[in-house]
Amino acid sequence: MSKMKIAFQGEPGANSHIAIVEAYPDAEPLPCATFEDALSAISSGEADLGMIPIENSVAGRVADIHHLLPASGLFIIGEWFLPVRHQLMAVNGTKIEDIKSVESHVHALGQCRRIIRKLGIKPIVHADTAGSARDISERKDKTVAAIASRLAAKIYGLDILAEDIEDEAHNTTRFVVLAREPKWAAQGSGPLVTTFVFRVRNLPAALYKALGGFATNGVNMTKLESYMVDGNFFATQFYADVDGHPEDKGLAFAIEELKFFSREFRIVGVYPGHPFRATFSETQD
């Protein structure tokens, strides 16, 4: 029986690769150059699922995904939270004082500012973390380091010169698991998340009225993002996460009210909430 293939954006050793290994240890990770390529691999059947980052606790949302996901026709069937741990690495035999510059993804560089300042080295933006590790392993230049994962150091045979160099200990990335077909989690099967996209009618207070049903029905909205559609300043689409199942009484009423004030509405996924969510739930005073 062939292994399930899971597409991700980046090179072997990327954080998305680590998320796949943790969530689906028996699957075969399928590296893709871009997010578009990863989504296409799922749509075409080349991959069974996709592991795609959607937001980070330090860097914020992964902007491309909010545009690409709704248009892709794919569905969210799960989520995964990955604590991000960055390592400073270089070719074998390099001493930390040899380093003059460091390469990595723009977010990784931004998340490791302290050590970059402390060492007085020049940050250079690379397409992704694992790709920077592969590049420096091929160049064999002891004046250049990379910031990437422990897995990337292992894959590309690099020495780790400094461990867990991220500025913030809470640095965590949330991923969504994408599939070609919707697979709604069963109602009452535990904490659930419903993700949907919508566009409100171009009326005064339309968004206020559309969202009012969530407040009156006691539905917790954990995410609401807006973004332009096709570069149009007046066509705003919203992406939202709420707690619960669409057939729960309160959420069903809230969605009904939302639809009344919206010109478009589509559920993107109904899936189990990851246990990590319990670590950041607010306590009631």
Side-chain angles (χ1 to χ4, degrees):
M1 186 176 176
S2 60
K3 281 187 172 184
M4 177 170 64
K5 287 186 179 180
I6 304 181
F8 69 96
Q9 185 277 325
E11 303 203 24
N15 285 307
S16 300
H17 183 179
I18 297 171
I20 292 170
V21 170
E22 287 189 1
Y24 298 92
D26 296 327
E28 178 185 339
L30 177 67
C32 300
T34 66
F35 285 124
E36 288 95 332
D37 291 341
L39 299 182
S40 294
I42 309 162
S43 298
S44 69
E46 183 185 356
D48 301 289
L49 301 174
M51 181 71 77
I52 304 295
I54 197 162
E55 56 194 332
N56 175 269
S57 62
V58 176
R61 76 181 185 184
V62 180
D64 289 353
I65 295 307
H66 290 73
H67 291 278
L68 297 172
L69 201 161
S72 70
L74 300 172
F75 298 91
I76 301 174
I77 64 164
E79 66 176 355
W80 193 261
F81 286 82
L82 178 74
V84 177
R85 300 290 174 257
H86 293 304
Q87 320 299 324
L88 183 71
M89 58 193 68
V91 295
N92 299 148
T94 301
K95 296 184 176 67
I96 204 160
E97 54 266 26
D98 298 336
I99 299 168
K100 301 289 187 290
S101 63
V102 60
E103 300 183 6
S104 197
H105 187 273
V106 63
H107 284 173
L109 293 171
Q111 291 164 13
C112 301
R113 286 193 183 97
R114 281 196 205 116
I115 193 167
I116 293 172
R117 278 201 305 268
K118 180 183 173 185
L119 296 175
I121 55 182
K122 181 183 177 182
I124 298 173
V125 174
H126 196 282
D128 63 80
T129 55
S132 68
R134 178 181 54 77
D135 279 0
I136 69 161
S137 74
E138 292 172 353
R139 296 208 302 269
K140 309 275 189 222
D141 184 347
K142 290 187 177 181
T143 67
V144 185
I147 293 173
S149 69
R150 198 175 295 277
L151 177 61
K154 181 180 178 182
I155 290 172
Y156 301 112
L158 299 172
D159 287 349
I160 294 176
L161 304 182
E163 298 181 316
D164 300 344
I165 61 171
E166 61 281 349
D167 294 343
E168 304 291 343
H170 66 69
N171 189 353
T172 303
T173 297
R174 179 188 175 217
F175 295 83
V176 289
V177 181
L178 301 181
R180 286 183 296 281
E181 302 294 332
K183 182 184 170 187
W184 283 21
Q187 186 180 17
S189 59
L192 300 178
V193 180
T194 294
T195 295
F196 55 88
V197 292
F198 67 99
R199 284 172 65 181
V200 293
R201 299 182 187 281
N202 197 6
L203 300 167
L207 181 60
Y208 174 81
K209 292 172 182 174
L211 297 182
F214 294 90
T216 55
N217 288 286
V219 176
N220 186 31
M221 182 171 284
T222 56
K223 183 179 180 68
L224 180 65
E225 298 270 7
S226 65
Y227 53 98
M228 288 182 187
V229 179
D230 298 327
N232 187 333
F233 282 94
F234 304 101
T236 301
Q237 184 149 298
F238 293 90
Y239 175 106
D241 291 340
V242 295
D243 290 344
H245 190 284
E247 292 168 7
D248 294 345
K249 186 177 178 183
L251 183 49
F253 284 147
I255 289 174
E256 187 179 348
E257 200 163 326
L258 174 73
K259 285 180 177 178
F260 185 78
F261 293 102
S262 299
R263 48 183 298 204
E264 291 177 25
F265 172 84
R266 182 169 73 91
I267 291 178
V268 181
V270 182
Y271 48 96
H274 189 275
F276 185 83
R277 286 179 174 270
T279 67
F280 57 83
S281 59
E282 290 186 330
T283 55
Q284 299 296 319
D285 293 332

